[in-house]
Amino acid sequence: MIELTIDKKKVRVEKGTTILKAARQAGIEIPTLCHYELCDMGIENKPGGCRICVVEVEGRRNLAPSCITEAQDGMVIHTHSIRVLNARKTVLRLIISDHPFDCLVCAKSGHCDLQDLAVQFGIRSQPYVGEQSRYRKDTSPSIIRDVDKCIMCRRCEMICNEVQSVGALAAVNRGFMSVVAPAFEMNLEDSPCTYCGQCVSVCPTGALTEKDHTIEIIRALSNPSKTVVVQTAPAVRAALGEEFGMPAGTLVTGKMVSALRELGFDYVFDTDFSADLTIMEEGTELLQRVRGYLEGDSNVRLPILTSCCPGWVNFFEHNYPDLLDVPSTAKSPQQMFGAIAKSYFAEKIGVKRNDMIVVSVMPCLAKKYECQRDEFKVGGNPDVDYSISTRELASFIKQANIDFLELPDGEFDDPLGESTGAAVIFGNTGGVIEAACRTAYELYTGKKLEKVDFHELRGMDGIRSATIDFNGLELNIGIAHGLRNARKLLDEVREGKSKFHAIEVMACPGGCVGGAGQPFNHGDSGVLGKRAAALYAADQEMPIRKSHENPSIIKLYEEFLGEPGSELAHKLLHTEYFAKSNEVTIHLQG
Amino acid sequence: MSQKVIITPEAFEYMEKVTGTDGVEVRVNLPKEIIEQINEICDSFDNDPGELINVLHEAQNRFGYLPAEVQDMVAHNLHIPVAQVYGVVTFYSYFSMIPKGEHPISICVGTACYVRGAERVLEEFIKELGIKVGETTPDGRFSINCLRCVGACGLAPVVLVGDKVYGRVSPDGVKQIIAEYSS
């Protein structure tokens, strides 16, 4: 332990602690910009580039960047002397001098760390005027890169490389010309980007934002000839309240349903319904594959991988084109919902496919890409027309002048609004495989599950495993969230060393509760645990907690699909995967 | 000294499955012999990601420049994202993605040469060849680069064409230097 003095306070910290962290321990908050910490993963982005966090160290000539300067025994530090405050202001003004002045209309306005600092430091004038770096805007189906707004904090590079191991982004070029970009400055769409969107969730400015579809939805809602159907993903209800000042982990299912109805959606349905449907199809496939494997069928490959997460699907299509037969062929709940809404439900209410618009509210940005994939279209008409994020829905509710906090609790419409506790935990890492186990256990053993909760599958560790006893059949289950963790399990599968029968993967840390479409958490990853707890609590309160007991699902099979894995089920609810080549297509110049 | 290999535009017509140093097959738009050369270079540095700059140095020595396909192969062998390789290539001015001309012209703009009029010499080369610094003439014969001090300050301003050193070059002498290589 060493002892130092920060703002006249004595602080004792471990040797090797940075000044920033030592100050935090003493309850002194030093402003930061490029610094970002993912506490539960032990990953810290500290390029020491922005210099907002400088402090004065007595006896040292220059100001010290506190995020990368180690605290020393006996140091005397001032975190808000005049010299420090002036330096921070100058640094901030220099950063702003190469930043567009369109705050009022910026997609990040109100959530921008740079804007917040400008407010905090009372920046009212801009003495530094000069050339600004200019770069083209890069628009992909999910993410928009506008690097004119990039301040080179490199948080996106950290999360894309360290956390996700995707490696789509790196700092390129030098000095004034430097930007964060994919290799050869190709478009994100041509890069190995998975659209997990985690870069968007850590970007401090408007350099990385989601592609907003609110306007298209407003157009659809105001077109009387269209029947507009909305579905909401499990994780949205556990986070939407945060956008209205409610504490993290507040479940707002009822208010969310009322808000959607007020916005004018004709039917307010639940992706939880199709999550139950996913379990029916994926659970059946799991059992079929395990049975085939046990009977020695050489065509059956194990483990089976979940396929609900579109970021994860993109990841294995890019990186494991040799393993495309390993994931379940079941579509994601979003796409299953669209396929059923535009067939079974459209028929039921007598609406033509082309007159129905299906909107999804997702905690996710990869869903935007997923819904426009060609294999999810019929005659060019997509099963899901638009996918908006939790943040976009919150903004939409605010635009419509709806007082969210005062809304009464509404109920989902029938029949695609009925769901079970198994579906609502889809939003948590481990939730999909837990839901699958609940159903697969009863289908396999023919016995009633005594304890519905599989606590051994829960938690926030990046890679988890458990053995579930199916009445004598021991199934090894693996769980990974965050794509670097998924890569480890996939490499084992590729090498033939995997001990698992089934693996659940979610691209985002924490699963969908930590999705890139969720309210920004500004580095406070503790909110993920609170959202997860809210979903487990919602599960507890559901009268039915197993997917195969959902009456609307049972009816759907009776009236329409036949049985899980039937020909029609395969046509509507299953998909195939495509190898995405990462080969370089830029040719020799000249 | 390694053997010089020039990657011609024709080389990029190939598209084949080749094996990287890790035994994994990849499709790269390069002929097999070039892939083998890249594998050899990467192997000589134990495919260590920490040796990226050295690998790129050696690759540029052999091929004269670092086209996207070469960077892709290096990234594959070193198990790092190609975006990172591109980041390094674009950070250091020594690395180039444009093939150098048959006769690369380097103008020293170090302090001594600069004060003795290197800038005017450079301008004359730019005017005569119709290309900018870092570019190559459309016929592939000449390219212009700047460098800082070749240790021949007594001869300032200094120009190199390939390995040949020209001292006390004046703007008037530029035409004559180009003419030497233009037959």
Side-chain angles (χ1 to χ4, degrees):
Chain A
M1 294 292 262
I2 53 165
E3 192 179 76
L4 63 159
T5 311
I6 307 179
D7 295 345
K8 294 180 185 156
K9 270 191 196 172
K10 293 258 187 251
V11 191
R12 281 175 64 80
V13 293
E14 292 280 343
K15 201 172 168 0
T17 310
T18 60
I19 294 176
L20 178 72
K21 286 191 172 167
R24 265 187 201 160
Q25 281 184 35
I28 298 161
E29 205 52 45
I30 297 171
T32 56
L33 184 54
C34 63
H35 181 265
Y36 196 90
E37 196 172 9
L38 293 153
C39 311
D40 19 357
M41 278 179 246
I43 287 175
E44 198 176 358
N45 181 57
K46 43 177 186 179
C50 77
R51 307 269 153 171
I52 289 292
C53 70
V54 287
V55 293
E56 197 169 350
V57 181
E58 278 188 15
R60 179 179 157 141
R61 195 168 56 88
N62 296 328
L63 296 176
S66 63
C67 73
I68 50 166
T69 309
E70 221 177 86
Q72 303 291 340
D73 198 37
M75 260 186 180
V76 180
I77 293 162
H78 304 282
T79 73
H80 56 262
S81 62
I82 292 295
R83 190 178 162 212
V84 166
L85 296 185
N86 279 339
R88 285 188 192 146
K89 265 192 169 175
T90 304
V91 164
L92 198 54
R93 283 191 164 120
L94 285 168
I95 294 171
I96 294 170
S97 73
D98 189 17
H99 195 88
F101 264 35
D102 63 353
C103 277
L104 276 176
V105 292
C106 176
K108 205 60 182 291
S109 184
H111 297 286
C112 173
D113 292 353
L114 184 61
Q115 195 181 45
D116 288 351
L117 283 173
V119 172
Q120 188 188 339
F121 287 113
I123 304 293
R124 293 289 177 268
S125 63
Q126 176 50 290
Y128 308 118
V129 184
E131 195 188 345
Q132 296 198 331
S133 54
R134 284 273 171 263
Y135 203 82
R136 73 194 154 83
K137 224 175 182 174
D138 171 14
T139 304
S140 74
S142 293
I143 297 167
I144 298 174
R145 277 174 65 233
D146 182 3
V147 290
D148 286 353
K149 292 176 179 165
C150 175
I151 54 162
M152 290 305 285
C153 71
R154 303 172 75 167
R155 289 182 189 178
C156 54
E157 190 187 352
M158 173 274 296
I159 209 136
C160 188
N161 290 277
E162 306 292 317
V163 178
Q164 299 295 59
S165 76
V166 168
L169 294 172
V172 306
N173 300 324
R174 186 155 48 152
F176 189 62
M177 302 305 290
S178 57
V179 289
V180 173
F184 316 117
E185 291 162 73
M186 60 171 83
N187 289 335
L188 218 45
E189 212 172 344
D190 303 319
S191 80
C193 173
T194 65
Y195 301 128
C196 77
Q198 285 297 317
C199 56
V200 175
S201 60
V202 298
C203 179
T205 69
L208 291 161
T209 51
E210 69 260 47
K211 193 169 178 197
D212 192 318
H213 288 288
T214 320
I215 192 69
E216 284 92 339
I217 294 165
I218 293 175
R219 261 187 220 125
L221 287 171
S222 50
N223 183 345
S225 67
K226 300 284 180 195
T227 302
V228 190
V229 172
V230 66
Q231 54 162 323
T232 59
V236 176
R237 66 206 66 189
L240 181 63
E242 292 166 34
E243 290 279 330
F244 298 93
M246 295 163 108
T250 312
L251 211 60
V252 294
T253 320
K255 288 189 194 303
M256 173 182 74
V257 171
S258 296
L260 290 166
R261 209 160 269 140
E262 292 244 332
L263 287 170
F265 288 98
D266 296 301
Y267 294 92
V268 181
F269 286 143
D270 201 351
T271 314
D272 288 20
F273 168 83
S274 48
D276 280 331
L277 190 55
T278 303
I279 290 302
M280 297 304 289
E281 294 297 325
E282 202 170 284
T284 306
E285 194 187 343
L286 166 71
L287 285 180
Q288 271 172 2
R289 274 167 70 168
V290 169
R291 279 204 183 104
Y293 180 78
L294 293 174
E295 285 161 12
D297 184 344
S298 59
N299 292 324
V300 173
R301 222 166 151 181
L302 281 183
I304 182 170
L305 306 171
T306 59
S307 55
C308 309
C309 169
W312 157 233
V313 168
N314 291 338
F315 185 73
F316 72 68
E317 285 185 329
H318 271 297
N319 298 286
Y320 297 89
D322 47 326
L323 299 179
L324 294 183
D325 57 336
V326 180
S328 161
T329 58
K331 286 182 187 173
S332 72
Q334 165 177 280
Q335 293 310 131
M336 282 200 184
F337 181 94
I340 292 297
K342 285 199 175 178
S343 59
Y344 172 72
F345 180 67
E347 233 169 80
K348 237 181 189 333
I349 59 167
V351 170
K352 282 200 211 103
R353 180 185 175 94
N354 286 342
D355 289 333
M356 183 180 273
I357 303 279
V358 174
V359 173
S360 70
V361 185
M362 293 284 145
C364 179
L365 300 189
K367 290 282 176 197
K368 290 171 184 286
Y369 163 79
E370 184 188 40
C371 75
Q372 53 92 65
R373 285 178 75 131
D374 285 337
E375 62 270 29
F376 300 138
K377 287 176 184 165
V378 176
N381 178 277
D383 288 342
V384 175
D385 295 85
Y386 307 110
S387 174
I388 57 169
S389 66
T390 310
R391 291 191 297 265
E392 284 167 80
L393 174 61
S395 159
F396 192 10
I397 293 170
K398 287 172 189 167
Q399 287 171 46
N401 206 24
I402 294 170
D403 188 352
F404 187 78
L405 299 178
E406 294 304 317
L407 285 174
D409 282 347
E411 295 278 338
F412 285 110
D413 289 311
D414 276 332
L416 311 186
E418 185 161 32
S419 65
T420 71
V424 79
I425 58 171
F426 261 59
N428 293 343
T429 163
V432 173
I433 207 76
E434 179 169 346
C437 283
R438 290 181 190 177
T439 287
Y441 180 92
E442 295 203 350
L443 295 184
Y444 180 78
T445 63
K447 288 184 182 167
K448 198 149 182 69
L449 195 58
E450 280 171 21
K451 213 171 85 351
V452 177
D453 298 286
F454 289 84
H455 287 287
E456 58 273 45
L457 298 173
R458 301 181 184 179
M460 279 290 173
D461 288 343
I463 297 177
R464 306 191 297 282
S465 63
T467 303
I468 307 288
D469 182 5
F470 274 45
N471 204 23
L473 169 68
E474 298 207 323
L475 277 192
N476 294 328
I477 309 282
I479 296 166
H481 57 123
L483 290 170
R484 176 171 289 279
N485 295 323
R487 189 185 278 277
K488 286 180 196 150
L489 296 189
L490 251 285
D491 284 342
E492 285 177 15
V493 174
R494 184 181 257 164
E495 289 162 20
K497 287 183 191 156
S498 183
K499 59 174 185 179
F500 297 116
H501 297 105
I503 299 175
E504 179 205 284
V505 179
M506 294 293 153
C508 292
C512 309
V513 288
Q518 296 281 58
F520 296 112
N521 65 44
H522 298 278
D524 177 11
S525 39
V527 304
L528 305 189
K530 290 176 188 161
R531 293 174 190 161
L535 292 184
Y536 284 127
D539 167 34
Q540 290 282 349
E541 280 168 23
M542 294 296 262
I544 305 171
R545 299 183 61 200
K546 286 168 275 188
S547 298
H548 58 288
E549 293 174 356
N550 180 336
S552 293
I553 292 285
I554 295 169
K555 204 167 154 201
L556 173 68
Y557 279 104
E558 279 172 6
E559 285 182 357
F560 188 62
L561 291 172
E563 54 182 20
S566 70
E567 206 183 317
L568 185 59
H570 257 280
K571 188 172 158 239
L572 291 175
L573 308 179
H574 290 257
T575 186
E576 57 183 314
Y577 306 108
F578 303 91
K580 287 202 175 91
S581 165
N582 288 336
E583 78 207 6
V584 177
T585 48
I586 294 168
H587 290 268
L588 190 68
Q589 301 179 19
Chain B
M1 189 64 198
S2 56
Q3 174 201 357
K4 272 244 189 235
V5 181
I6 307 295
I7 309 182
T8 61
E10 291 73 40
F12 291 86
E13 298 294 312
Y14 294 84
M15 190 70 156
E16 43 183 315
K17 261 200 165 170
V18 289
T19 308
T21 52
D22 55 359
V24 174
E25 281 201 334
V26 276
R27 279 173 69 87
V28 182
N29 187 10
L30 282 173
K32 227 173 186 129
E33 54 267 34
I34 301 289
I35 299 287
E36 275 160 15
Q37 294 250 359
I38 299 169
N39 283 350
E40 183 199 314
I41 295 169
C42 293
D43 271 337
S44 73
F45 292 101
D46 297 329
N47 297 295
D48 178 359
E51 298 281 1
L52 174 62
I53 291 178
N54 287 328
V55 169
L56 292 175
H57 258 282
E58 183 57 31
Q60 180 155 304
N61 279 347
R62 292 235 195 145
F63 308 131
Y65 71 118
L66 296 167
E69 289 81 356
V70 169
Q71 295 179 42
D72 201 34
M73 198 63 210
V74 167
H76 177 85
N77 284 349
L78 268 48
H79 294 283
I80 50 175
V82 64
Q84 209 175 309
V85 176
Y86 179 73
V88 169
V89 168
T90 53
F91 184 86
Y92 293 101
S93 56
Y94 176 82
F95 296 127
S96 170
M97 285 183 68
I98 301 173
K100 284 217 174 88
E102 212 177 309
H103 307 290
I105 300 169
S106 305
I107 296 105
C108 178
V109 289
T111 312
C113 290
Y114 193 84
V115 297
R116 302 280 306 256
E119 200 178 12
R120 280 183 294 124
V121 173
L122 173 62
E123 274 165 16
E124 196 61 25
F125 273 108
I126 289 172
K127 201 181 93 194
E128 279 301 314
L129 295 172
I131 52 169
K132 292 193 212 109
V133 175
E135 288 183 349
T136 302
T137 52
D139 61 5
R141 291 183 62 78
F142 296 102
S143 56
I144 305 180
N145 251 4
C146 287
L147 47 79
R148 281 168 210 270
C149 200
V150 290
C153 304
L155 297 174
V158 169
V159 169
L160 274 81
V161 180
D163 292 333
K164 192 172 173 190
V165 181
Y166 293 81
R168 300 203 175 95
V169 181
S170 69
D172 297 339
V174 166
K175 260 192 190 134
Q176 203 198 321
I177 294 173
I178 295 172
E180 271 184 49
Y181 299 90
S182 292
S183 51

